[in-house]
Structure formats: C-alpha cells, structure tokens
Amino acid sequence: MPPEQRREGERDREPSGRAGLHLNRMMTSERQIWEAAMLLVRRHGEDAADVAGREAKKHGDGDDELTYVVWCWIARATAELIKAEPEEGEHVH
C-alpha cells in the first residue's frame, strides 16, 4: 500500500534503520522481536547475531535506552535461530 493511503497510525509505525533491518521505537512485542531476528538471519546468515550485537552496542552508548534493549532482545533471538543444536535439557518445539 502506498504511504499516502496509509492511516496516520500506520505511517508512524513504518520502520527505518541501518544494517538491513528496519527498527521502530515501538517494536517491543515478542513477535516483532522474532520477526526482526528472522529477517536478520535471512539477510546476514551466520553473521546475523553479530550484526544485531553491533546495533545494540551502537545504541548502548546513546540516550535511547529502549532501542538498546530491543536490539539486545533481537540479538538473543537471532542467536537462538542460528544455534546449531539445542542445549542439553532444552525443550524443542
């Protein structure tokens, strides 16, 4: 849908960012975290967790604490997605 046809609230949620991943300040739901992690894995493969970690570190020095926390969540989810095998005793879905 073209931007001019979106409702006001939808325009506010349109993400933008670097590292091939679009991040919005309102991205705080678990589903959105996993979707972002999957996108990173598709675009960066085995390097996805490192990309997310660099983004978290970049925002960790600034005053936007929420963005830092979200990138940390994305980094953890990304690491889980690219993990080769489950840990001992870990439940597999």
Side-chain angles (χ1 to χ4, degrees):
M1 177 180 303
E4 61 274 2
Q5 291 180 349
R6 292 188 188 126
R7 291 179 291 180
E8 186 65 30
E10 290 175 342
R11 256 185 253 126
D12 293 341
R13 285 187 302 234
E14 186 168 320
S16 63
R18 293 182 52 206
L21 179 71
H22 301 297
L23 180 64
N24 184 310
R25 277 179 252 174
M26 299 307 290
M27 182 195 298
T28 55
S29 79
E30 186 174 356
R31 179 179 175 173
Q32 289 172 312
I33 298 299
W34 285 100
E35 287 173 350
M38 288 189 302
L39 178 62
L40 271 175
V41 170
R42 280 190 216 116
R43 290 189 179 174
H44 298 282
E46 293 289 320
D47 296 330
D50 292 334
V51 171
R54 284 193 303 270
E55 287 296 312
K57 186 175 182 179
K58 181 177 78 175
H59 292 287
D61 298 333
D63 60 349
D64 190 356
E65 189 173 325
L66 177 58
T67 301
Y68 169 71
V69 170
V70 169
W71 274 109
C72 287
W73 290 340
I74 293 169
R76 271 186 263 151
T78 303
E80 286 292 314
L81 288 174
I82 62 175
K83 186 166 56 171
E85 294 183 21
E87 295 175 9
E88 188 174 322
E90 183 177 5
H91 295 287
V92 179
H93 300 280

